[in-house]
Amino acid sequence: MAKFELKLPKMGESVAEATITSWLKEVGDTIELDEAIVEIATDKVDSEVPSEVEGVLVERLFDVDTVVEVGQTLAIIETSANGEAPADVAVEVKVATPRVNENEEAPGKVEENAAVLENAISDLTSSPTGKFYSPLVKNIAQKEGITMDELEAISGSGKEGRVTKNDILSYIDTRGTVATKGNVSTQASVSAAPEKSAPKAAPVSVNGEDEIIEMTRMGKLISHHMVESVQKSAHVQSFIEIDVTNIVKWRNRVKDAYFKREGEKITFTPIFMQAVAATIKKFPMINISVDGDKIIKRKNINLGMAAALDDGNLIVPVIKNADQLNLVGMTASVNDLAQRARANQLKPDDIQGGTYTVTNVGSFGSVMGTPIINQPQVAILALGAVRKVPAVIETAEGDFIGIRHKMFVSHSYDHRVVNGALGGMFIKSLKETLEAWDIAQDF
């Protein structure tokens, strides 16, 4: 007999953890190859984790609603020597051993032996106020000379407000420059009076006529992801107005023939996406990520396409190698991803690997927007609504006023690595590409 550890697979560059939403198999159940064992959810997509072997499920290591890191073992499957399910195996039903649910520092499996479990629990450090800190957090604090008062002042993002590895490392990065609660000094020697702690958000008053609505799981994750992006990247915006009259006229001319030949509708979105991909190819330093003090220049141009779901949340499926698609291929990709997003049928691979994101705020009637960067990318483009507007038209005979179809494009970019010149030149080039659209071309 052999035991196989079913681990949480890698689900994308920016996805480090997932929440267990449902166990599909009970302890003692026979497992087939590629059979789904557990349902998980990230801030990107819901998915299932299939088994890589045949066998019998002998242990589930986490409860529903637990946050698990990528690479952690979710369950144990007992297999025969050849990887198949063992015959007539008497399975002992095991209760999940208590774990330190620290999001970022959950330790390895604690043995069921009572002595080992007792030792593991004793490794936790209790504060005077009753807060608990994992051994990893405690060790980091000791190494960095962080006092218990300082540790108490750190706001934890883990379950029940526990301080995680990322929390304490973030604190260390800003130690000595940011005041903590309780006026705790973070300097080794301070002669001046300590700074006041940052003001807390005022409590929200609720009366009997108000309705309290619990945020959805995805809503909470998206909220955290957006705040983290704003805190990480120095957001700057550039705006430009584009005359898309030729594109509007071209689409009106070909849309019926396109549907008859290809069996699907052609919208403005694939036209814009194709132009964005071509512009990124001209400005490859917009297709990057930041890793500490290093810049990672992406080889592939993978366009994220923000899509609205029925519950009001957004998801960002990715068009891989977008610069290699012609208009027909781009249209097929855009339509397919949009349809599967609305039907909640996207797979983990569909939302992985994005290098640049486009969001269409114009679909809701917005003239322009200031979108938040989708980490770990460094830029995002917002497409405003296409509107009929009066415009000055220059001709050899003179200027006159005419009706044109125009739209605003908003470009948010990370000013740590993308300066205003690059951010502005990017959308200026995009404008030139779209305004040069040949109205007589075929598809």
Side-chain angles (χ1 to χ4, degrees):
M1 300 294 178
K3 290 188 176 180
F4 174 80
E5 295 184 357
L6 180 70
K7 298 180 183 295
L8 181 63
K10 184 174 177 61
M11 297 166 289
E13 184 177 9
S14 62
V15 180
E17 62 188 21
T19 302
I20 293 177
T21 57
S22 175
W23 282 99
L24 305 177
K25 291 293 182 180
E26 300 293 333
V27 172
D29 286 352
T30 299
I31 308 300
E32 302 292 335
L33 181 66
D34 292 329
E35 187 174 12
I37 307 296
V38 59
E39 291 181 342
I40 59 172
T42 72
D43 60 342
K44 305 288 187 181
V45 69
D46 294 352
S47 186
E48 297 175 342
V49 178
S51 175
E52 300 174 39
V53 298
E54 297 179 355
V56 172
L57 180 63
V58 295
E59 189 173 3
R60 302 190 313 198
L61 301 180
F62 294 97
D63 295 327
V64 171
D65 294 331
T66 301
V67 178
V68 184
E69 282 187 345
V70 168
Q72 280 191 281
T73 301
L74 302 175
I76 304 296
I77 299 173
E78 191 167 78
T79 69
S80 62
N82 60 6
E84 298 178 351
D88 302 325
V89 174
V91 178
E92 177 186 359
V93 177
K94 299 182 179 181
V95 178
T97 306
R99 291 172 170 271
V100 182
N101 185 17
E102 274 281 318
N103 286 358
E104 283 83 11
E105 303 94 9
K109 176 185 171 185
V110 180
E111 300 295 333
E112 291 181 296
N113 182 279
V116 177
L117 178 59
E118 183 177 355
N119 290 337
I121 294 176
S122 68
D123 281 341
L124 296 175
T125 301
S126 177
S127 72
T129 61
K131 292 178 66 176
F132 286 91
Y133 301 97
S134 72
L136 178 59
V137 169
K138 179 186 71 173
N139 290 336
I140 294 174
Q142 290 175 344
K143 181 179 179 181
E144 298 294 332
I146 295 174
T147 66
M148 181 56 71
D149 285 339
E150 287 183 80
L151 204 55
E152 289 280 284
I154 299 174
S155 179
S157 62
K159 186 176 182 181
E160 298 178 353
R162 290 179 179 174
V163 175
T164 67
K165 176 184 66 176
N166 286 346
D167 294 331
I168 193 169
L169 292 178
S170 177
Y171 170 75
I172 291 170
D173 288 340
T174 58
R175 195 180 184 199
T177 60
V178 180
T180 55
K181 71 179 182 181
N183 293 336
V184 178
S185 171
T186 59
Q187 302 283 1
S189 174
V190 179
S191 57
E195 299 180 30
K196 294 182 179 180
S197 60
K200 295 182 178 179
V204 179
S205 61
V206 180
N207 60 44
E209 297 178 351
D210 297 328
E211 179 184 3
I212 300 175
I213 301 175
E214 182 70 21
M215 290 178 68
T216 63
R217 173 191 51 76
M218 181 175 283
K220 293 176 183 178
L221 293 171
I222 291 175
S223 174
H224 174 75
H225 190 61
M226 293 296 98
V227 171
E228 184 181 46
S229 180
V230 171
Q231 292 174 340
K232 183 175 184 178
S233 296
H235 281 64
V236 174
Q237 284 83 30
S238 294
F239 307 89
I240 201 164
E241 190 176 30
I242 303 176
D243 189 327
V244 293
T245 305
N246 285 352
I247 293 176
V248 172
K249 290 180 177 179
W250 178 84
R251 177 182 171 271
N252 288 337
R253 179 177 66 82
V254 305
K255 62 181 181 179
D256 291 339
Y258 189 94
F259 182 80
K260 183 177 181 180
R261 194 185 82 174
E262 301 297 332
E264 57 186 357
K265 296 180 180 180
I266 182 170
T267 63
F268 294 125
T269 300
I271 299 172
F272 298 148
M273 296 294 272
Q274 188 182 42
V276 169
T279 307
I280 292 175
K281 205 162 187 175
K282 296 178 184 177
F283 298 91
M285 289 306 293
I286 209 78
N287 198 47
I288 64 173
S289 293
V290 180
D291 183 14
D293 294 330
K294 297 181 177 63
I295 293 175
I296 301 171
K297 187 178 178 182
R298 304 296 186 183
K299 179 180 179 181
N300 298 327
I301 298 175
N302 299 335
L303 290 186
M305 182 185 71
L309 302 177
D310 292 338
D311 61 1
N313 287 315
L314 289 175
I315 197 165
V316 187
V318 177
I319 301 171
K320 306 292 176 62
N321 299 309
D323 57 313
Q324 299 178 19
L325 297 176
N326 61 17
L327 187 56
V328 174
M330 182 68 77
T331 302
S333 295
V334 167
N335 291 347
D336 171 61
L337 289 173
Q339 291 166 7
R340 289 197 287 119
R342 288 191 291 267
N344 197 27
Q345 294 178 347
L346 292 174
K347 299 178 180 179
D349 185 62
D350 293 326
I351 49 91
Q352 293 180 17
T355 62
Y356 186 95
T357 297
V358 179
T359 180
N360 187 3
V361 299
S363 60
F364 307 106
S366 296
V367 176
M368 65 176 67
T370 54
I372 297 175
I373 296 168
N374 186 19
Q375 298 294 332
Q377 300 164 27
V378 299
I380 182 172
L381 193 79
L383 305 172
V386 176
R387 302 166 300 134
K388 284 184 179 181
V389 296
V392 176
I393 302 174
E394 298 178 354
T395 69
E397 290 76 26
D399 298 344
F400 67 93
I401 301 295
I403 303 299
R404 306 293 290 179
H405 292 268
K406 291 195 174 187
M407 65 182 293
F408 283 101
V409 163
S410 313
H411 193 210
S412 293
Y413 45 94
D414 189 343
H415 212 2
R416 295 178 302 166
V417 289
V418 180
N419 58 35
L422 176 57
M425 287 189 298
F426 180 87
I427 54 174
K428 181 176 183 292
S429 179
L430 177 66
K431 170 187 173 75
E432 292 168 352
T433 297
L434 292 174
E435 291 187 347
W437 189 267
D438 182 4
I439 195 173
Q441 68 178 311
D442 199 357
F443 51 84

